[in-house]
Amino acid sequence: MLGLTQGEEVTEAQLRNLFGERGRHPYADRIEADRLAAGGSPKKAFRAGALGRRVTVTGVDFVFRPWPTIYLLWAFGGEETRRVIEAAHEYAIERVLEWIEDEVAVVRYGKDGIYRERPPGGLIAARFRHYEARSGRPWLRGHLLLSVKGQRLDGKWGSIHTTALHENTVAASALYNELVAAEVCEELGLATEPRTVTPGRRPVMGIAGIPHELIRWTARRSDQIAACLTELEHEYVTAVDDDGESRGPCPWSPSGPAPR
């Protein structure tokens, strides 16, 4: 589709055209240059690089993260363990994408989007893998960036119904986790178990045998945010009097020190 090959590396120009230029062909620059070289008008050359009408929302980003117990195994396990988990991660994303194409994604067209059909050629997507969090700790996760441009049966380009995509993000995440866990457990001979995170709430599933203290280590970001808010609140309270008047430069004002 579109002259792209599944699995090839995405270029900056392709991303800019498809997601940054309101839904143009990944090779829009080349198409436009060829039309101009052939004597076409700038207006027609520009249209040749378009995929239907221009859109405001150009894509939907699905983020896939394995269970904390699984990416702990990935972070601290040996080379074979990491290979198995990364393969399961990629396999699960591929299966989820197929499910979205077969069961979720529809191209809307006609007045008020009355007509809907599955894009016969599938979806246009870019995948990215990350290996660490902003804090620097290891954290395996993947992004599946879906273009909202889809081709209809008649060959024309339309827009994917984004509401349907958003409504199925939780289902996509659940399917991904189920597939990853099944692959990892089968390949590494592991088992799953329910784990109570918050008393009174439904337990979450994880790989059996991972120490609870180590799992807590993976949830540090929310703790860091809470600590930061507490610190900022203290700085504010000590910077104003009971009437709300400043006792000096506000800790985060232009004249005060920069936030930490």
Side-chain angles (χ1 to χ4, degrees):
M1 181 189 294
L2 301 176
L4 301 172
T5 302
Q6 183 175 346
E8 72 175 276
E9 184 175 350
V10 178
T11 68
E12 182 179 346
Q14 290 171 338
L15 285 177
R16 183 186 66 247
N17 286 327
L18 188 59
F19 297 105
E21 295 293 336
R22 299 180 64 181
R24 290 176 59 74
H25 194 291
Y27 293 115
D29 298 338
R30 188 175 67 188
I31 293 172
E32 190 171 351
D34 289 344
R35 293 299 179 94
L36 290 173
S41 68
K43 187 175 182 179
K44 290 184 177 181
F46 182 83
R47 287 181 177 175
L51 297 178
R53 296 180 178 180
R54 302 179 74 183
V55 292
T56 302
V57 177
T58 58
V60 177
D61 185 20
F62 285 79
V63 183
F64 297 101
R65 297 179 285 260
W67 292 341
T69 51
I70 291 180
Y71 70 70
L72 282 170
L73 286 174
W74 168 83
F76 296 108
E79 182 177 348
E80 175 64 16
T81 298
R82 287 192 292 272
R83 184 194 64 78
V84 167
I85 292 175
E86 289 179 13
H89 171 74
E90 292 299 316
Y91 167 80
I93 292 177
E94 291 175 3
R95 298 289 81 78
V96 170
L97 177 57
E98 291 177 357
W99 172 75
I100 292 173
E101 290 177 328
D102 294 340
E103 304 294 337
V104 178
V106 290
V107 180
R108 300 180 65 195
Y109 63 100
K111 186 178 180 181
D112 297 326
I114 189 173
Y115 301 111
R116 305 183 182 188
E117 61 184 44
R118 303 285 182 205
L123 298 174
I124 311 168
R127 288 163 53 184
F128 306 89
R129 185 191 296 179
H130 294 275
Y131 296 95
E132 61 181 32
R134 292 185 180 91
S135 63
R137 66 176 171 82
W139 188 18
L140 176 67
R141 65 192 188 281
H143 288 260
L144 181 66
L145 186 57
L146 298 180
S147 169
V148 300
K149 288 296 184 178
Q151 196 169 26
R152 296 167 9 198
L153 290 170
D154 60 8
K156 294 182 179 180
W157 288 89
S159 296
I160 302 296
H161 187 27
T162 55
T163 300
L165 296 179
H166 287 297
E167 288 175 345
N168 284 276
T169 54
V170 174
S173 178
L175 176 58
Y176 162 83
N177 283 320
E178 180 181 336
L179 291 169
V180 170
E183 288 291 308
V184 169
C185 287
E186 181 177 353
E187 292 294 324
L188 298 179
L190 302 174
T192 61
E193 64 178 3
R195 178 172 58 88
T196 300
V197 177
T198 303
R201 293 189 178 184
R202 185 175 61 180
V204 299
M205 297 301 296
I207 300 298
I210 305 297
H212 181 74
E213 294 76 14
L214 191 57
I215 299 173
R216 280 288 303 163
W217 176 77
T218 67
R220 292 271 72 90
R221 188 178 181 194
S222 59
D223 295 341
Q224 292 170 355
I225 292 173
C228 182
L229 288 175
T230 300
E231 182 179 348
L232 290 175
E233 181 181 9
H234 173 73
E235 290 181 353
Y236 174 78
V237 170
T238 55
V240 300
D241 57 26
D242 293 339
D243 296 323
E245 297 295 330
S246 175
R247 292 175 175 151
C250 181
W252 49 84
S253 70
S255 59
R260 290 180 293 216

